Amino acid sequence: MTSSQNNPVYIVTGAGSGIGRATAQRLHTDGRRVVLADTDHASVKTLAAELNDMRDGSAYPVEHDVTLADSWAALCEQVSSFGTIHGLVNNAGITRDKSMLSMTEAQFDAVVDVHLRGAWLGCKSVIPTMRAGGGGAIVNISSSNRHGAFGQTNYSAAKAGIVGLTKAVAAEQAKYGIRCNAVAPGAINTPMIGDVPDRVRQQWMESIALGRLGEPAEIASAIAFLLSDAASYITAALLDVNGGEQHL
């Protein structure tokens, strides 16, 4: 890592796979300097090597646990020698699916901690630097399942909470030049849905107007837009990227 105090950088959590990986790749393609944060350090080291082969010094991998305030403090300290935080994508996520009566408190807490607490800590941690730098943009990842999904009382609650968090952060930080928006993916072709039964996939297809799963790169495009100057008059917004999925 080299000293680059004035270079704007973009942090992507959960950058090791799926939507996070696609987002990091898209931001890099757009010429951004990207911090790749994930608990799976090996995966982000591999991705950083690939990106730095294309443009040296443009990607930095960090082992990071979004649920820990100390991990966020360490991340922000490391980023300070790589550049100035101008963008954050709170993407890290897990699932622990069970019907409510079968779900343990630990399974509920784990999902809420990663998705909702992680996004809250992320915003809280980067905003002081963004304020000092004159502004920035945050994108939090919600989900179509914020409406409620069978077996996901934990996930649905967390993703609905992210919408409220996004709007509250946007209201508080607008006067400091900080925008905060959310993207809500529908059914996306990522490792997270690898174990979904065929019958459930078929139900998805029947509810999606475009008749197919989305691809991570399609979500990354929406995120990149909201982080860009092209979205300079957009804040407190929720952008559904779901192929026209219908909800009861």
Side-chain angles (χ1 to χ4, degrees), residues 186-190 193 196-215 242-246:
I188 308 301
N189 187 22
T190 68
I193 68 167
V196 173
D198 288 341
R199 61 178 177 79
V200 175
R201 286 175 179 264
Q202 183 56 39
Q203 290 172 352
W204 286 349
M205 295 304 103
E206 293 171 359
S207 69
I208 298 170
L210 293 181
R212 64 172 177 83
L213 297 179
E215 294 299 327
N242 59 18
E245 183 178 347
Q246 301 299 308

Side-chain angles (χ1 to χ4, degrees), residues 142-166:
S142 181
S143 170
S144 289
N145 285 1
R146 71 187 185 278
H147 297 290
F150 186 93
Q152 289 193 323
T153 52
N154 48 8
Y155 186 84
S156 295
K159 290 305 193 182
I162 283 174
V163 177
L165 170 68
T166 297

Side-chain angles (χ1 to χ4, degrees), residues 7-11 32 84-88 129-130 133-138 177 227 229:
N7 289 315
V9 299
Y10 294 75
I11 299 170
R32 311 296 189 186
T84 301
I85 300 169
H86 189 69
L88 169 66
T129 298
M130 286 185 174
I138 298 169
L227 289 174
D229 290 342

Side-chain angles (χ1 to χ4, degrees), residues 10 32 86 136-137 179 223-234:
Y10 294 75
R32 311 296 189 186
H86 189 69
R179 297 183 298 104
I223 294 168
F225 165 68
L226 289 173
L227 289 174
S228 75
D229 290 342
S232 58
Y233 198 55
I234 301 175

Side-chain angles (χ1 to χ4, degrees), residues 105-161:
E105 290 184 37
Q107 289 168 331
F108 180 87
D109 290 345
V111 171
V112 172
D113 279 355
V114 171
H115 290 273
L116 185 54
R117 175 183 169 84
W120 183 82
L121 283 173
C123 293
K124 183 177 175 66
S125 298
V126 306
I127 282 171
T129 298
M130 286 185 174
R131 283 189 184 185
I138 298 169
V139 176
N140 298 321
I141 306 304
S142 181
S143 170
S144 289
N145 285 1
R146 71 187 185 278
H147 297 290
F150 186 93
Q152 289 193 323
T153 52
N154 48 8
Y155 186 84
S156 295
K159 290 305 193 182

Side-chain angles (χ1 to χ4, degrees), residues 28-45:
H28 183 266
T29 297
D30 289 347
R32 311 296 189 186
R33 294 162 62 82
V34 187
V35 172
L36 314 170
D38 204 298
T39 53
D40 184 351
H41 196 213
S43 66
V44 288
K45 283 179 67 177

